[in-house]
Amino acid sequence: MKLGVFMFPTDKAMSPPELAREVEARGFASLWFPEHSHIPASRRTPWGGPQRSDAPPLPEEYWRTHDQFVALGACAAVTERIELGTGICLVAQRDPIWLAKEVASVDVLSGGRLQLGIGYGWNVEEMGHHGVAFGERRAIVREKVLAMKELWTQDEASFSGEHVNFEPSWSYPKPIQQPHPPIILGGGGGPKMFDAVVEYADGWMPIGGRHEIDGQVEQLRRVAESKGRDPSTIDLGVFMVKPDPAEIERLAGLGITFGSFPLPPAGRDEVLPLLDRYMELLPAPVG
């Protein structure tokens, strides 16, 4: 497994460029940043979504994050090797034409190192402030991803859908990674999730310890085969990997190829010792 780390990049935490340098120096494969544009102060939606009745209070870092792509661009400028991932990007809340340009720009400026983790989102009020109806978020994400693929791969791109429409247009730069950076769909498994992964994503990335994984991996493979897609073309990753050698070995045995350990949104004194402990779990270099 390729192992990396993720952290909420906030104005109170270790700066993204400084963190990226330390992560790369220790041999990690990737660095991932989540995002929220803002958190409505009403806090009507429980942490994790309307279905959760026992959710704890939402941590402050959820409304203190730097812009995801600005932070990743800053990290790209001070690193050479690590993959830079969105974990996850709230596609429904973003304009797809601008988002396609941001993704392509970071991919180009990083030398082809962007991993585009995406998700549907859980905060009803946050989406509402962006004009997104919660019940339509899956359909909106699907169209925006399909529209971005056109912008990334076509010289003159156009799209006509229920939620996204634009006439033939030019949009550059194009991503270095071909046909585009990997699109990794995050969230719990199930029929809707796996249909979406098979249709328009390059991988699936559930949260370890929150979502059932073992049986779901086989279910995803069956869905792919039933729809004529080779399951080996779908990468499997896990967020919130338990920092335990036995658990890492178990996930690898399921076919999980990448994962990330959590870091607190804190300063150097707290983050660096934890990075050093995680480093002991990295696979030995080949050769």
Side-chain angles (χ1 to χ4, degrees):
M1 287 176 62
K2 296 191 299 182
L3 293 169
V5 295
F6 82 93
M7 187 181 81
F8 276 82
T10 78
D11 58 337
K12 289 187 172 182
M14 191 174 176
S15 77
E18 184 181 22
L19 175 64
R21 284 192 295 263
E22 298 289 353
V23 167
E24 183 164 87
R26 285 165 174 76
F28 290 94
S30 59
L31 173 61
W32 300 75
F33 290 151
E35 77 163 348
H36 282 276
S37 58
H38 67 302
I39 295 295
S42 70
R43 294 297 303 114
R44 286 190 297 272
T45 302
W47 183 10
Q51 75 282 358
R52 291 192 66 182
S53 59
D54 59 345
L58 189 69
E60 183 183 32
E61 59 262 28
Y62 275 75
W63 59 88
R64 300 198 76 104
T65 57
H66 294 298
D67 177 87
Q68 200 172 50
F69 291 95
V70 172
L72 290 173
C75 293
V78 299
T79 57
E80 297 179 352
R81 179 188 54 78
I82 55 170
E83 295 176 345
L84 302 167
T86 59
I88 50 83
C89 177
L90 295 169
V91 173
Q93 299 174 189
R94 288 177 168 270
D95 178 277
I97 300 175
W98 275 121
L99 180 55
K101 182 175 287 290
E102 289 175 312
V103 168
S105 296
V106 174
D107 194 57
V108 169
L109 295 173
S110 68
R113 292 186 281 137
L114 183 68
Q115 303 287 302
L116 183 60
I118 67 170
Y120 297 120
W122 57 266
N123 192 306
V124 178
E125 295 78 57
E126 180 182 358
M127 291 186 198
H129 291 183
H130 290 281
V132 175
F134 186 76
E136 298 179 2
R137 69 196 188 286
R138 291 179 182 268
I140 291 170
V141 168
R142 174 184 176 273
E143 279 198 12
K144 289 185 175 182
V145 169
L146 296 178
M148 289 192 296
K149 288 186 177 186
E150 293 298 307
L151 291 163
W152 291 325
T153 61
Q154 303 300 317
D155 180 47
E156 287 193 3
S158 61
F159 194 87
S160 178
E162 182 178 352
H163 304 285
V164 181
N165 290 276
F166 53 87
E167 64 185 30
S169 303
W170 302 316
S171 177
Y172 283 81
K174 303 299 185 187
I176 286 180
Q177 297 182 83
Q178 294 297 311
H180 49 72
I183 298 170
I184 313 297
L185 189 54
K192 291 181 180 179
M193 173 62 69
F194 292 155
D195 284 347
V197 170
V198 171
E199 180 189 5
Y200 61 80
D202 301 295
W204 176 49
M205 182 174 63
I207 298 176
R210 182 183 300 179
H211 301 139
E212 197 274 330
I213 296 174
D214 299 51
Q216 299 284 10
V217 168
E218 286 304 316
Q219 182 183 345
L220 173 57
R221 289 170 176 154
R222 288 195 296 270
V223 171
E225 290 173 346
S226 72
K227 295 180 177 294
R229 179 169 176 182
D230 182 352
S232 69
T233 65
I234 300 173
D235 288 332
L236 300 174
V238 172
F239 249 43
M240 296 285 287
V241 172
K242 183 180 179 181
D244 174 73
E247 175 65 5
I248 295 169
E249 183 177 357
R250 187 187 73 83
L251 292 175
L254 293 173
I256 306 299
T257 61
F258 67 96
S260 60
F261 302 120
L263 292 172
R268 291 175 56 89
D269 291 347
E270 187 173 346
V271 170
L272 295 186
L274 188 54
L275 275 180
D276 290 338
R277 291 198 292 273
Y278 288 158
M279 186 173 65
E280 297 175 1
L281 300 170
L282 296 180
V286 177

